[in-house]
Amino acid sequence: MSYKIGLVGKPSVGKSSFFNAATMNDVPEGAYPFTTIDPSIGEAYVRVECAAPEFDESCTPSVGYCSHGMRYVPVKLVDVAGLIPGAHEGKGLGNQFLTDLNEADVLVHVVDFSGETDIEGEATEGHDPRDDIDFLENELDMWYLGILEKGIDRYRSGYHGEEKDIEVDLAEQMSAFKTNKDEIKQVILSLDIGLDPDEWDDEDKAELAREIRKRTKPIIIAANKMDKPVSQENFEEITTDEDYEHLTFVPTSAHAEKALKNADEGGVVDYRPGDDDFDIVGDVSDEQEAGLEQIREFVTEYGGTGVQQSLENALFDVMGAIAIFPGSANGKSDSQGVFRDCFILPEGSTTEDFAYHLHSDIGDGLLHGIDCHSKRQIGSDHELTHRDVVEIVSTN
């Protein structure tokens, strides 16, 4: 599980409910602040259409599982402790929150679109979800700005004893965000603020911090509690607001996902995570049937409960990650099974990247790859695409 998805948001918005629905773990849920104190880490799944049928084979996954031709590939999901305004100043669980948050590659911001929790996570009515979206981005931007300013001080101090470009010192100071000097220089040039930090005003620095944050901690919004009419009204208004065009919104009901998974485990319904419908296969009371039909109406209208869609949107659409199957031209992975593995790699990964992902020795001895669909040889610098099946030919 090479990727880690972080669940973030203020207290009491259903973040722990989302986590439980995605992982079927049992972490505390409650309508009060800081139900989650320490981060909960669990195994969730993202769906990838299985490649085995294209080779007239049935897969034997070593991790995850396959159902009706859909591979469920594990990823790490982290329910980070509740956030309140002022976290970047150490308020609430501030420092702990930011440390835990930095372990995530991409963030799913769970927002209560019903407006029934205020900015502190307390029960209310008529709260604007935009305030929650804004405050999380602001907290992260202020966090990044504080570290950016330390990088500028580092540059000005000249303590390293040699002249360096500003992007070098910023990259060293912000290395925990998995960025580098080339990326930071690219951001600076794109903002057209010049490479001399003495010429940057406060607005320039804030804009630079925000842009680096957007590139290194991408966010999608899980618009939770969308099974309520007021949530749907807020969703329509916010998603058509041009101030939020930079974000992706996924209509979500964590409650519906958990209910369907529980019903599926109990033999009441036949449901696969991410599907936009389900079958009632067990005996249910009139009240249970009415509840299930309400859920059916929601998942049919929105194409699912949104829990599975949020994870996949974050990983594949926002991060641009790709799924790669190791295989051979005859379709068999190895002597231990068929299509045993499916790996999630960064966008732009090459044959060589994949070889090293499998094992450093395999990468060191790489000769070339084989595209198992076309049976054509591919070079070490060949850029892979989503759902490629690749055989690695290596001296090791």
Side-chain angles (χ1 to χ4, degrees):
M1 298 191 293
S2 56
Y3 277 95
K4 186 179 288 186
I5 300 173
L7 290 185
V8 295
K10 69 184 185 186
S12 309
V13 297
K15 191 158 51 66
S16 294
S17 298
F18 186 110
F19 178 86
N20 285 338
T23 64
M24 292 306 283
N25 281 18
D26 188 21
V27 302
E29 300 176 16
Y32 51 91
F34 303 126
T35 303
T36 304
I37 300 299
D38 297 317
S40 300
I41 302 176
E43 182 178 275
Y45 300 91
V46 292
R47 294 171 298 169
V48 177
E49 187 179 353
C50 188
E54 297 165 13
F55 295 83
D56 296 322
E57 294 284 354
S58 297
C59 68
T60 53
S62 59
V63 295
Y65 63 99
C66 194
S67 177
H68 295 79
M70 192 64 69
R71 194 74 167 253
Y72 287 79
V73 183
V75 294
K76 287 183 181 178
L77 187 63
V78 184
D79 180 10
V80 182
L83 172 68
I84 63 170
H88 71 280
E89 299 172 336
K91 296 181 180 177
L93 304 177
N95 293 331
Q96 177 183 334
F97 169 85
L98 297 174
T99 298
D100 295 336
L101 184 80
N102 202 38
E103 295 297 315
D105 298 295
V106 61
L107 307 178
V108 174
H109 183 189
V110 182
V111 176
D112 177 2
F113 260 59
S114 71
E116 295 176 352
T117 48
D118 67 17
I119 201 68
E120 300 282 351
E122 301 288 352
T124 189
E125 293 182 2
H127 179 73
D128 191 340
R130 275 174 284 217
D131 293 343
D132 301 343
I133 298 170
D134 293 344
F135 101 77
L136 176 63
E137 291 201 289
N138 181 64
E139 287 297 332
L140 298 184
D141 291 346
M142 294 301 293
W143 175 35
Y144 270 64
L145 178 59
I147 297 173
L148 175 79
E149 290 179 331
K150 290 179 181 178
I152 295 173
D153 291 341
R154 177 191 182 114
Y155 171 80
R156 287 173 174 161
S157 71
Y159 78 93
H160 36 62
E162 59 183 87
E163 187 173 343
K164 287 186 178 180
D165 296 326
I166 179 60
E167 66 267 21
V168 175
D169 279 310
L170 291 183
E172 290 176 359
Q173 191 68 43
M174 307 182 83
S175 60
F177 298 134
K178 301 177 184 178
T179 187
N180 56 60
K181 62 182 180 62
D182 294 332
E183 184 175 37
I184 288 180
K185 184 174 183 178
Q186 183 183 51
V187 174
I188 294 173
L189 294 176
S190 71
L191 297 177
D192 196 25
I193 58 177
L195 292 168
D196 183 357
D198 290 331
E199 297 181 357
W200 298 346
D201 58 22
D202 290 343
E203 185 176 341
D204 292 333
K205 289 184 282 189
E207 189 177 13
L208 177 57
R210 177 177 174 82
E211 188 60 31
I212 295 173
R213 189 271 303 166
K214 287 167 66 176
R215 296 193 185 201
T216 59
K217 280 288 178 284
I219 299 173
I220 76 158
I221 306 298
N224 199 28
K225 305 183 184 180
M226 276 289 292
D227 45 355
K228 299 183 177 184
V230 64
S231 301
Q232 296 164 17
E233 293 173 7
N234 286 332
F235 186 87
E236 176 65 24
E237 184 176 341
I238 294 171
T239 55
T240 55
D241 186 334
E242 62 182 15
D243 288 342
Y244 299 92
E245 289 179 348
H246 65 289
L247 291 169
T248 298
F249 295 82
V250 181
T252 304
S253 172
H255 167 76
E257 179 74 5
K258 187 68 180 294
L260 287 176
K261 283 187 174 178
N262 285 335
D264 181 77
E265 288 185 354
V268 175
V269 304
D270 181 12
Y271 170 70
R272 292 187 299 276
D275 281 1
D276 60 1
D277 203 356
F278 57 89
D279 294 321
I280 299 176
V281 295
D283 295 330
V284 295
S285 66
D286 291 344
E287 183 179 358
Q288 289 173 321
E289 183 175 5
L292 287 170
E293 290 303 327
Q294 282 187 332
I295 292 176
R296 188 196 305 278
E297 183 178 341
F298 176 81
V299 299
T300 300
E301 180 176 356
Y302 291 102
T305 67
V307 171
Q308 194 68 41
Q309 288 82 355
S310 293
L311 302 179
E312 292 161 1
N313 203 306
L315 199 58
F316 295 127
D317 295 338
V318 174
M319 287 287 293
I322 57 175
I324 304 296
F325 294 88
S328 62
N330 64 11
K332 295 187 182 297
S333 296
D334 56 37
S335 60
Q336 298 178 345
V338 179
F339 288 98
R340 297 177 61 248
D341 299 306
C342 179
F343 297 106
I344 308 297
L345 301 182
E347 183 179 24
S349 292
T350 64
T351 305
E352 182 178 35
D353 295 328
F354 182 42
Y356 274 107
H357 183 84
L358 295 174
H359 197 281
S360 59
D361 288 345
I362 294 176
D364 289 342
L366 174 66
L367 295 176
H368 58 81
I370 297 175
D371 181 331
C372 297
H373 284 109
S374 66
K375 297 182 173 58
R376 293 179 178 176
Q377 182 174 311
I378 53 178
S380 61
D381 60 350
H382 173 80
E383 187 171 317
L384 304 177
T385 59
H386 187 56
R387 294 187 64 254
D388 273 351
V389 181
V390 178
E391 178 180 6
I392 296 297
V393 181
S394 172
T395 59
N396 298 324

